[in-house]
Amino acid sequence: RGFTPETAAKGHDVCGDRNHGRASSDLLKDEIVSEQLTRNIQFFGIESQHNVSASYVVVIGLGGVGSHAASMLLRSGVGRLLLVDFDQVSVSSLNRHAVATREDVGIPKAHCLKKHFLSIFPECLVEAKVLLYDASSEEEILSGHPDFVLDCIDNIDTKVALLAACVRRGLKVLSATGAGARADPTRIRVADLRESTNDPLSRAVRHRLRKDYGIEGGIPVVFSLEKPKAKLLPFKGPSGEEENPSDYQIVPGFRVRIIPVLGTIPAIFGQVMASYVITQLAGFEVQTEPLVNFDMDHYRVLHQRLIEHEELLYGSSMQVQVDVEEVMYIVKELWRGRSARDESMKDIGRGMWRSINDLMLVRWDRAKPAAISNLVLLRFKEADEHELQTLEDIKENEPEFFSRVASVLKRAELDFGL
């Protein structure tokens, strides 16, 4: 069908069709569009859905993850999409692709998605490029001020280059890490790249971004806490004997060995990415589950420390109005396993296990009970210093810290209807 490594490098548009116009929020004035998006409008409100429909999103990598992400962005009313992938639909990819059928085998993935998308939401401006992302194609792919870029690439060199370019250009980007060789959907998370664990791809990307570009973090990623259940399968050539996979690469640097993939996991990765981006575009705040490596024994220790501190300071623990499960909420959901004085993530992974030895819960306002909406997590030394100050002192001398804590504790009041 005319696809070669050369066309992937040069780029190829669907039927020469280039949509460079911005998406329009006027889409919702169309009666059919408005009806198709009625559930989203009910969820977000009309103004927020207008923001989604006026958005431009770039999706790079259209396999199991990217095809599902792009499909749900389309169904959610994103007004303009740029779909980028140099590869073709294969028979083996049908176990995880969002829309491809056997009739699509052999055609570029970008063309496949656009063809199906036209029958789902034809009002969306969909541009499809059969293109390999690299330094020479960066401008063509990332120009036009996209509102979001989705990195669904599984090659380290390309992924690192794309993420670095997005940071340099000031573009919002969400990256997917390894979805292959996993089976547990309950362990999929969204967090900063610095917090992604148990994932070899994340580890390699972190190292390269730091080493080559000085980028420490600040990039949200979708990843799994689950350790991979299988390894790369050995590569066998036409003779059936194991051979060097690099001898068969169409594009240098891209793997030809096979990662076992349960199709449901990359699909869920893509759905998570779409949900994250759509809520961001709509301005709808979602509190992602924090990654806190404490178990129930750790929360019991913190609960006991609170009781002992209350008895020491106030002569009784009668004013402690939280149990171990509520301590878990306070530590994990409100303070994300860190001291209230930590403005940024310092203890990641194993460091967070160690930090439990230096943390305790204390009352924010000593005049109120030790309740869910009145407890802050501090280091021992910080707790001692806190007990020597009044809230008026903190408000006057540290207004930003005071406001930040007040905002977090207000969330507790709202969550528990206090």
Side-chain angles (χ1 to χ4, degrees):
R1 295 179 184 254
F3 174 82
T4 67
E6 288 72 26
T7 61
K10 292 179 181 178
H12 178 68
D13 286 299
V14 175
C15 303
D17 179 20
R18 291 176 178 267
N19 294 315
H20 289 301
R22 295 294 295 176
S24 173
S25 60
D26 290 343
L27 281 175
L28 299 183
K29 293 181 179 179
D30 184 286
E31 185 176 350
I32 294 177
V33 171
S34 181
E35 177 63 22
Q36 184 169 340
L37 297 173
T38 185
R39 296 297 187 271
N40 285 57
I41 294 170
Q42 291 168 347
F43 187 88
F44 288 131
I46 189 68
E47 289 304 317
S48 292
Q49 185 61 43
H50 271 303
N51 294 337
V52 174
S53 297
S55 297
Y56 170 38
V57 179
V58 177
V59 183
I60 307 173
L62 304 173
V65 175
S67 65
H68 282 273
S71 181
M72 193 49 68
L73 289 172
L74 177 90
R75 291 182 182 276
S76 299
V78 169
R80 182 185 172 199
L81 289 168
L82 172 58
L83 310 174
V84 182
D85 199 310
F86 73 93
D87 204 2
Q88 298 168 290
V89 176
S90 64
V91 175
S92 65
S93 68
L94 297 182
N95 83 316
R96 58 194 180 278
H97 199 275
V99 298
T101 68
R102 288 188 180 181
E103 290 184 357
D104 298 315
V105 171
I107 71 172
K109 292 177 180 177
H111 292 196
C112 170
L113 280 176
K114 177 165 184 175
K115 179 186 75 172
H116 288 281
F117 283 8
L118 288 174
S119 65
I120 298 170
F121 187 43
E123 290 79 10
C124 179
L125 298 175
V126 180
E127 186 176 4
K129 288 183 180 292
V130 182
L131 191 63
L132 176 67
Y133 179 86
D134 58 20
S136 66
S137 61
E138 175 189 324
E139 179 63 22
E140 182 176 356
I141 293 172
L142 297 182
S143 62
H145 309 288
D147 298 290
F148 238 105
V149 177
L150 271 66
D151 158 37
C152 305
I153 301 168
D154 59 6
N155 172 265
I156 295 174
D157 293 340
T158 309
K159 181 179 286 286
V160 168
L162 172 62
L163 294 176
C166 288
V167 172
R168 186 177 72 251
R169 289 170 172 261
L171 298 176
K172 291 184 177 180
V173 60
L174 175 63
S175 179
T177 64
R182 291 169 172 85
D184 186 355
T186 68
R187 296 174 69 80
I188 297 171
R189 299 288 187 275
V190 180
D192 190 276
L193 178 63
R194 291 172 292 189
E195 291 188 277
S196 57
T197 57
N198 291 341
D199 180 62
L201 182 58
S202 293
R203 192 158 49 245
V205 170
R206 276 198 306 272
H207 174 74
R208 288 280 300 280
L209 283 173
R210 184 172 59 249
K211 179 174 176 288
D212 298 345
Y213 299 96
I215 298 172
E216 295 286 344
I219 298 172
V221 297
V222 178
F223 69 102
S224 175
L225 293 168
E226 181 184 11
K227 291 183 178 180
K229 292 286 188 292
K231 298 179 180 180
L232 279 170
L233 298 179
F235 180 81
K236 294 183 179 181
S239 66
E241 299 295 323
E242 289 192 25
E243 297 188 29
N244 183 356
S246 62
D247 293 340
Y248 292 84
Q249 286 176 324
I250 297 175
V251 179
F254 279 76
R255 61 175 173 79
V256 293
R257 292 171 68 192
I258 298 169
I259 297 177
V261 180
L262 184 63
T264 54
I265 301 302
I268 296 170
F269 264 63
Q271 299 291 335
V272 170
M273 295 185 83
S275 185
Y276 180 93
V277 170
I278 293 161
T279 53
Q280 288 272 313
L281 295 173
F284 186 86
E285 185 177 357
V286 175
Q287 291 283 347
T288 57
E289 182 181 12
L291 296 175
V292 179
N293 293 328
F294 298 161
D295 58 27
M296 288 306 295
D297 286 340
H298 289 106
Y299 298 117
R300 292 187 187 96
V301 168
L302 288 169
H303 186 247
Q304 185 60 34
R305 280 181 191 163
L306 172 61
I307 291 172
E308 293 173 357
H309 181 71
E310 288 279 315
E311 290 174 345
L312 179 66
L313 199 63
Y314 302 102
S316 168
S317 61
M318 294 293 291
Q319 291 294 303
V320 175
Q321 298 181 1
V322 292
D323 57 23
V324 175
E325 286 194 4
E326 289 165 334
V327 164
M328 180 171 69
Y329 164 83
I330 295 166
V331 173
K332 184 176 181 179
E333 299 289 339
L334 296 184
W335 303 113
R336 306 180 83 84
R338 297 176 179 86
S339 166
R341 289 195 169 275
D342 284 353
E343 294 187 41
S344 61
M345 293 175 297
K346 295 178 182 178
D347 292 314
I348 303 298
R350 294 177 182 174
M352 293 181 66
W353 286 97
R354 294 194 296 270
S355 68
I356 187 69
N357 296 322
D358 192 33
L359 291 172
M360 63 184 298
L361 290 167
V362 297
R363 299 188 200 184
W364 174 241
D365 184 347
R366 291 198 299 275
K368 297 180 180 179
I372 285 178
S373 59
N374 191 40
L375 285 170
V376 291
L377 189 64
L378 295 170
R379 296 185 183 87
F380 291 164
K381 184 178 180 181
E382 295 167 344
D384 291 340
E385 293 170 350
H386 178 73
E387 300 294 5
L388 297 175
Q389 301 180 83
T390 66
L391 288 187
E392 289 303 318
D393 292 335
I394 298 173
K395 187 174 183 179
E396 181 178 349
N397 299 325
E398 302 176 272
E400 289 186 8
F401 173 62
F402 181 89
S403 297
R404 185 153 46 87
V405 172
S407 176
V408 172
L409 295 180
K410 183 66 176 178
R411 180 190 160 197
E413 292 182 3
L414 295 173
D415 285 352
F416 283 81
L418 303 175

